[in-house]
Amino acid sequence: MIKDNVHNILASLPPHVELLAACKGRTGLEIKEAINAGINIIGHNYIKEREETLRLLLRHKALADRNDIKCHFIGHLQKNKVKKAIKLFDLIETVDSFSLAELIDKEAKKEKRIMPVFIEINSAEEKQKFGILPYETKSLIDKIKTLEYVKVTGIMTMGPLLENVEDIRPYFKDTKKLFDEVKVNNPEIKYLSMGMSDSYKIAIEEGANLVRIGRMIFNGI
Ligand SMILES: *Cc1c(COP(=O)(O)O)cnc(C)c1O
C-alpha cells in the first residue's frame, strides 16, 4: 500500500516539486518501504526517531549504501538538541530565531560543515505557534548571513489548521510572496516548503516546490 501511495503521489507532482516523507510515529519497516518506493527525502520531528531510522538503514546494506537519501529535521528544535541535530540531519527546516541560528553556527563549526537551514514562518501569526512572523523574516535572514556555518536555502511554513482546507490558501499565497521577495537579495534561497497531505495540492498551486507528506503516504488518506 505504501508503495502505491508513493507512486501515485510522485506521478501527480509537477517535475519541479520534491516530495518529503514526514515520518513521525512510523516504524522502520514503513520508512524502508517508502524509500524503496522512491522517496529520497525523509523528514523527522524527533532526534530519537532519526536515530532509530539510521540504525535500520545501516542494517540494510542496499539502503546503507545509498547516499542520495536526505534527511530533514522538521520538528521544533530544542537548543539542547542542536549538537545532535547537526550530526544527524542534512538540513534543518525549522529555524525561527537568531539565537537558534547562532547555536547551529557554533556546533556546525565544530563539525567543520556548513549547515543548510530553512526559515520557519508563522504565516497566520498564531500566538502559540513556532516560526518567525512574516514581517521579521527579512531581518532574520540578513542577520543569519553574518554567520559563517549556517546557510539559509529555503522558507518553510505549516500554515494554520483550519476546518476547510481551502482557507489555508491565502497563507500559502502570502508565504510565496515573501519567498519571492527574499530571493531577490538571496539567490541561494531556492526551496519553498509548504503543504501536507490535506493541503499539498493547494500549496503547489501557490508555488511550493517541496511538500511534506505523512498520512497520505503511510495511511493512504
Ligand atoms: C506531520 C507533519 C507533516 C505531514 O503531515 P500529514 O498530515 O501527515 O501529511 C508535515 N510537516 C510537519 C512539520 C509535520 O510534523
Side-chain angles (χ1 to χ4, degrees), residues 177-221:
K177 193 160 164 265
L178 185 59
F179 172 70
D180 287 338
E181 285 166 16
V182 299
K183 262 173 47 161
V184 173
N185 291 321
N186 305 278
E188 66 287 356
I189 297 183
K190 293 205 158 59
Y191 288 98
L192 180 56
S193 171
M194 55 186 195
M196 316 201 290
S197 294
D198 290 339
S199 59
Y200 77 94
K201 292 196 173 114
I202 296 172
I204 292 169
E205 284 167 9
E206 297 306 332
N209 56 21
L210 176 62
V211 291
R212 309 178 310 271
I213 298 184
R215 283 178 301 129
M216 189 91 131
I217 289 176
F218 296 105
N219 304 336
I221 49 157

Side-chain angles (χ1 to χ4, degrees), residues 12-201:
S12 78
L13 297 180
H16 68 281
V17 178
E18 293 186 55
L19 172 61
L20 171 151
C23 296
K24 62 179 169 291
R26 307 300 169 179
T27 66
L29 205 67
E30 289 175 297
I31 296 170
K32 184 169 148 252
E33 229 178 296
I35 291 171
N36 285 334
I39 290 291
N40 52 24
I41 310 175
I42 59 175
H44 280 295
N45 297 64
Y46 308 104
I47 303 277
K48 202 164 170 286
E49 290 190 357
R50 171 57 174 161
E51 288 171 333
E52 285 162 14
T53 308
L54 263 184
R55 274 197 290 276
L56 167 107
L57 294 178
L58 292 174
R59 277 205 302 277
H60 293 82
K61 182 142 175 47
L63 293 179
D65 289 346
R66 283 192 49 189
N67 49 21
D68 61 319
I69 302 167
K70 300 292 179 223
C71 189
H72 292 191
F73 185 81
I74 59 171
H76 175 64
L77 185 55
Q78 289 167 295
K79 299 217 162 118
N80 61 350
K81 299 276 169 65
V82 167
K83 196 185 181 67
K84 275 197 165 175
I86 304 284
K87 294 194 170 131
L88 293 167
F89 291 88
D90 298 292
L91 190 149
I92 297 169
E93 290 206 16
T94 50
V95 171
D96 61 359
S97 70
F98 187 62
S99 56
L100 179 58
E102 273 184 313
L103 258 182
I104 294 171
D105 183 67
K106 190 172 133 217
E107 295 299 334
K109 183 177 183 177
K110 289 184 198 160
E111 292 293 313
K112 298 189 173 61
R113 69 176 296 204
I114 293 172
M115 195 70 198
V117 303
F118 293 175
I119 304 298
E120 180 178 3
I121 317 281
N122 179 358
S123 51
E125 308 196 17
E126 294 167 282
K127 278 217 168 65
Q128 306 298 339
K129 265 255 173 72
F130 296 114
I132 186 145
L133 295 173
Y135 75 91
E136 294 175 320
T137 306
K138 280 180 211 156
S139 64
L140 176 61
I141 291 172
D142 285 341
K143 275 173 91 177
I144 294 178
K145 267 189 179 174
T146 65
L147 303 172
E148 214 175 325
Y149 298 89
V150 183
K151 186 172 163 188
V152 180
T153 59
I155 298 283
M156 178 270 211
T157 196
M158 295 279 287
L161 197 64
L162 299 167
E163 212 166 303
N164 178 2
V165 68
E166 186 57 39
D167 292 340
I168 202 171
R169 189 184 292 277
Y171 302 99
F172 287 164
K173 222 185 248 302
D174 286 350
T175 307
K176 168 65 159 69
K177 193 160 164 265
L178 185 59
F179 172 70
D180 287 338
E181 285 166 16
V182 299
K183 262 173 47 161
V184 173
N185 291 321
N186 305 278
E188 66 287 356
I189 297 183
K190 293 205 158 59
Y191 288 98
L192 180 56
S193 171
M194 55 186 195
M196 316 201 290
S197 294
D198 290 339
S199 59
Y200 77 94
K201 292 196 173 114

